[in-house]
């Protein structure tokens, strides 16, 4: 097994993800293996492998005539993606709710308190991304269905953190970011499955509505 080759492939995957998040590669942009090979100083093989993984993960599209491009999401695909995330995340939480301890709830509250503290010194949500991921990982921490968790994370991450990142950033300021996550944490403390399900769906539906509207507006220009 060629471990060095696999390492290159993973690094290329992360490199392309970074270009997407930074806006240097936008939805619809072509990905040229030759240019990447020359720029990164590696052969095309690990680049090709990385692109195949990105296609499987839903960040890259592959069409016979167009080659590989950064995937373009329609407004409906955005709404559908967030809906899938809401369904999977809420059910994963509810399935494992009886395993939550007082210490777990204390940890969740600590994450929220950290978000509040950091948001008071931030002008945009970029500074809160790691805490957002930490909180949602905490919500899923007791679910032992790894396929469910991976699908939930991938669906949301592709939209929020990559393909629609500029639009996601504009959906809320730090104050709104805190309010939305405080609602989720309060729902968790209720320990009521119906309340948790309703709140998680509201959490993602709000983002879906704003992001899909912004993308639709951009597409009609």
């Amino acid at each position: 097994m060629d471990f060095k080759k696999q390492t290159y492939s993973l690094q290329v995957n992360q490199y392309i993800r970074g270009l997407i998040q930074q806006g240097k590669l936008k939805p619809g942009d072509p990905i040229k293996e030759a240019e990447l090979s020359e720029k990164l100083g590696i052969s095309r093989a690990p680049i090709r492998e990385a692109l195949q993984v990105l296609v499987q993960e839903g960040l890259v599209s592959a069409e016979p005539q167009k080659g590989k491009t950064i995937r373009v999401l329609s407004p409906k695909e955005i709404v559908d993606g967030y809906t899938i995330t809401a369904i999977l995340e809420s059910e994963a939480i509810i399935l494992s709710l009886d395993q939550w301890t007082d210490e777990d709830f204390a940890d969740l509250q600590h994450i929220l308190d950290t978000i509040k503290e950091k948001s008071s010194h931030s002008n945009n949500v970029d500074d809160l991304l790691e805490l957002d991921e930490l909180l949602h990982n905490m919500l899923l921490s007791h679910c032992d269905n790894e396929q469910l968790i991976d699908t939930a994370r991938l669906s949301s991450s592709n939209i929020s953190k990559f393909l629609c990142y500029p639009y996601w950033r504009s959906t809320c300021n730090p104050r709104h970011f805190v309010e939305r996550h405080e609602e989720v944490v309060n729902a968790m403390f209720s320990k009521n499955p119906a309340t948790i399900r309703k709140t998680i769906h509201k959490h993602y539906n709000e983002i879906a509505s704003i992001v899909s509207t912004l993308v639709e507006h951009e597409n009609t220009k």
Side-chain angles (χ1 to χ4, degrees), residues 68-81:
K68 292 183 175 66
T69 59
I70 303 301
R71 185 180 173 191
V72 177
L73 292 176
S74 69
K76 184 179 186 304
E77 287 175 319
I78 293 168
V79 172
D80 290 349

PDB file of all heavy atoms in Angstrom, residues 68-81:
ATOM      1  N   LYS A  68     -14.303  17.999 -14.405  1.00  0.00           N
ATOM      2  CA  LYS A  68     -14.652  18.175 -12.996  1.00  0.00           C
ATOM      3  C   LYS A  68     -14.746  19.667 -12.656  1.00  0.00           C
ATOM      4  O   LYS A  68     -13.857  20.446 -12.992  1.00  0.00           O
ATOM      5  CB  LYS A  68     -13.626  17.477 -12.106  1.00  0.00           C
ATOM      6  CG  LYS A  68     -13.675  15.956 -12.228  1.00  0.00           C
ATOM      7  CD  LYS A  68     -12.698  15.300 -11.290  1.00  0.00           C
ATOM      8  CE  LYS A  68     -12.854  13.783 -11.340  1.00  0.00           C
ATOM      9  NZ  LYS A  68     -12.478  13.225 -12.641  1.00  0.00           N
ATOM     10  N   THR A  69     -15.825  20.018 -11.983  1.00  0.00           N
ATOM     11  CA  THR A  69     -16.060  21.404 -11.580  1.00  0.00           C
ATOM     12  C   THR A  69     -16.550  21.437 -10.141  1.00  0.00           C
ATOM     13  O   THR A  69     -17.043  20.422  -9.626  1.00  0.00           O
ATOM     14  CB  THR A  69     -17.121  22.080 -12.478  1.00  0.00           C
ATOM     15  OG1 THR A  69     -18.357  21.336 -12.378  1.00  0.00           O
ATOM     16  CG2 THR A  69     -16.670  22.120 -13.924  1.00  0.00           C
ATOM     17  N   ILE A  70     -16.419  22.593  -9.514  1.00  0.00           N
ATOM     18  CA  ILE A  70     -16.990  22.761  -8.178  1.00  0.00           C
ATOM     19  C   ILE A  70     -18.504  22.712  -8.315  1.00  0.00           C
ATOM     20  O   ILE A  70     -19.083  23.377  -9.165  1.00  0.00           O
ATOM     21  CB  ILE A  70     -16.552  24.099  -7.541  1.00  0.00           C
ATOM     22  CG1 ILE A  70     -15.022  24.181  -7.494  1.00  0.00           C
ATOM     23  CG2 ILE A  70     -17.133  24.229  -6.142  1.00  0.00           C
ATOM     24  CD1 ILE A  70     -14.349  23.079  -6.719  1.00  0.00           C
ATOM     25  N   ARG A  71     -19.126  21.926  -7.493  1.00  0.00           N
ATOM     26  CA  ARG A  71     -20.566  21.682  -7.610  1.00  0.00           C
ATOM     27  C   ARG A  71     -21.382  22.960  -7.413  1.00  0.00           C
ATOM     28  O   ARG A  71     -21.058  23.784  -6.553  1.00  0.00           O
ATOM     29  CB  ARG A  71     -21.005  20.647  -6.578  1.00  0.00           C
ATOM     30  CG  ARG A  71     -22.469  20.240  -6.686  1.00  0.00           C
ATOM     31  CD  ARG A  71     -22.811  19.222  -5.630  1.00  0.00           C
ATOM     32  NE  ARG A  71     -24.235  18.927  -5.582  1.00  0.00           N
ATOM     33  CZ  ARG A  71     -24.814  18.247  -4.619  1.00  0.00           C
ATOM     34  NH1 ARG A  71     -24.081  17.782  -3.609  1.00  0.00           N
ATOM     35  NH2 ARG A  71     -26.115  18.021  -4.641  1.00  0.00           N
ATOM     36  N   VAL A  72     -22.393  23.119  -8.230  1.00  0.00           N
ATOM     37  CA  VAL A  72     -23.328  24.238  -8.115  1.00  0.00           C
ATOM     38  C   VAL A  72     -24.619  23.717  -7.513  1.00  0.00           C
ATOM     39  O   VAL A  72     -25.234  22.780  -8.042  1.00  0.00           O
ATOM     40  CB  VAL A  72     -23.620  24.868  -9.501  1.00  0.00           C
ATOM     41  CG1 VAL A  72     -24.646  25.990  -9.360  1.00  0.00           C
ATOM     42  CG2 VAL A  72     -22.335  25.388 -10.129  1.00  0.00           C
ATOM     43  N   LEU A  73     -25.038  24.303  -6.408  1.00  0.00           N
ATOM     44  CA  LEU A  73     -26.275  23.897  -5.744  1.00  0.00           C
ATOM     45  C   LEU A  73     -27.423  24.806  -6.155  1.00  0.00           C
ATOM     46  O   LEU A  73     -27.283  26.027  -6.174  1.00  0.00           O
ATOM     47  CB  LEU A  73     -26.123  23.952  -4.225  1.00  0.00           C
ATOM     48  CG  LEU A  73     -25.183  22.929  -3.567  1.00  0.00           C
ATOM     49  CD1 LEU A  73     -25.085  23.207  -2.071  1.00  0.00           C
ATOM     50  CD2 LEU A  73     -25.662  21.513  -3.820  1.00  0.00           C
ATOM     51  N   SER A  74     -28.562  24.216  -6.464  1.00  0.00           N
ATOM     52  CA  SER A  74     -29.767  24.996  -6.731  1.00  0.00           C
ATOM     53  C   SER A  74     -30.401  25.366  -5.401  1.00  0.00           C
ATOM     54  O   SER A  74     -30.118  24.734  -4.367  1.00  0.00           O
ATOM     55  CB  SER A  74     -30.751  24.182  -7.563  1.00  0.00           C
ATOM     56  OG  SER A  74     -31.275  23.108  -6.785  1.00  0.00           O
ATOM     57  N   PRO A  75     -31.278  26.385  -5.370  1.00  0.00           N
ATOM     58  CA  PRO A  75     -31.982  26.720  -4.129  1.00  0.00           C
ATOM     59  C   PRO A  75     -32.694  25.513  -3.520  1.00  0.00           C
ATOM     60  O   PRO A  75     -32.685  25.338  -2.289  1.00  0.00           O
ATOM     61  CB  PRO A  75     -32.960  27.806  -4.569  1.00  0.00           C
ATOM     62  CG  PRO A  75     -32.268  28.480  -5.709  1.00  0.00           C
ATOM     63  CD  PRO A  75     -31.567  27.364  -6.438  1.00  0.00           C
ATOM     64  N   LYS A  76     -33.308  24.677  -4.358  1.00  0.00           N
ATOM     65  CA  LYS A  76     -34.013  23.499  -3.843  1.00  0.00           C
ATOM     66  C   LYS A  76     -33.041  22.513  -3.210  1.00  0.00           C
ATOM     67  O   LYS A  76     -33.342  21.912  -2.159  1.00  0.00           O
ATOM     68  CB  LYS A  76     -34.790  22.804  -4.963  1.00  0.00           C
ATOM     69  CG  LYS A  76     -35.635  21.618  -4.455  1.00  0.00           C
ATOM     70  CD  LYS A  76     -36.414  20.967  -5.565  1.00  0.00           C
ATOM     71  CE  LYS A  76     -37.348  19.894  -5.010  1.00  0.00           C
ATOM     72  NZ  LYS A  76     -36.643  18.857  -4.217  1.00  0.00           N
ATOM     73  N   GLU A  77     -31.883  22.321  -3.823  1.00  0.00           N
ATOM     74  CA  GLU A  77     -30.894  21.413  -3.252  1.00  0.00           C
ATOM     75  C   GLU A  77     -30.403  21.910  -1.901  1.00  0.00           C
ATOM     76  O   GLU A  77     -30.115  21.114  -0.999  1.00  0.00           O
ATOM     77  CB  GLU A  77     -29.719  21.256  -4.213  1.00  0.00           C
ATOM     78  CG  GLU A  77     -30.033  20.410  -5.443  1.00  0.00           C
ATOM     79  CD  GLU A  77     -28.899  20.360  -6.428  1.00  0.00           C
ATOM     80  OE1 GLU A  77     -28.265  21.417  -6.654  1.00  0.00           O
ATOM     81  OE2 GLU A  77     -28.640  19.278  -6.983  1.00  0.00           O
ATOM     82  N   ILE A  78     -30.312  23.217  -1.752  1.00  0.00           N
ATOM     83  CA  ILE A  78     -29.905  23.806  -0.472  1.00  0.00           C
ATOM     84  C   ILE A  78     -30.950  23.524   0.596  1.00  0.00           C
ATOM     85  O   ILE A  78     -30.628  23.065   1.700  1.00  0.00           O
ATOM     86  CB  ILE A  78     -29.674  25.322  -0.626  1.00  0.00           C
ATOM     87  CG1 ILE A  78     -28.458  25.576  -1.524  1.00  0.00           C
ATOM     88  CG2 ILE A  78     -29.489  25.979   0.731  1.00  0.00           C
ATOM     89  CD1 ILE A  78     -28.313  27.009  -1.972  1.00  0.00           C
ATOM     90  N   VAL A  79     -32.212  23.777   0.264  1.00  0.00           N
ATOM     91  CA  VAL A  79     -33.300  23.520   1.213  1.00  0.00           C
ATOM     92  C   VAL A  79     -33.356  22.026   1.547  1.00  0.00           C
ATOM     93  O   VAL A  79     -33.478  21.649   2.722  1.00  0.00           O
ATOM     94  CB  VAL A  79     -34.648  23.991   0.637  1.00  0.00           C
ATOM     95  CG1 VAL A  79     -35.797  23.543   1.532  1.00  0.00           C
ATOM     96  CG2 VAL A  79     -34.658  25.507   0.495  1.00  0.00           C
ATOM     97  N   ASP A  80     -33.260  21.186   0.526  1.00  0.00           N
ATOM     98  CA  ASP A  80     -33.307  19.739   0.755  1.00  0.00           C
ATOM     99  C   ASP A  80     -32.144  19.278   1.634  1.00  0.00           C
ATOM    100  O   ASP A  80     -32.317  18.431   2.524  1.00  0.00           O
ATOM    101  CB  ASP A  80     -33.259  18.988  -0.581  1.00  0.00           C
ATOM    102  CG  ASP A  80     -34.537  19.146  -1.392  1.00  0.00           C
ATOM    103  OD1 ASP A  80     -35.533  19.658  -0.838  1.00  0.00           O
ATOM    104  OD2 ASP A  80     -34.532  18.757  -2.584  1.00  0.00           O
ATOM    105  N   GLY A  81     -30.958  19.846   1.390  1.00  0.00           N
ATOM    106  CA  GLY A  81     -29.791  19.465   2.175  1.00  0.00           C
ATOM    107  C   GLY A  81     -29.933  19.810   3.642  1.00  0.00           C
ATOM    108  O   GLY A  81     -29.624  18.993   4.520  1.00  0.00           O
TER     109      GLY A  81
END
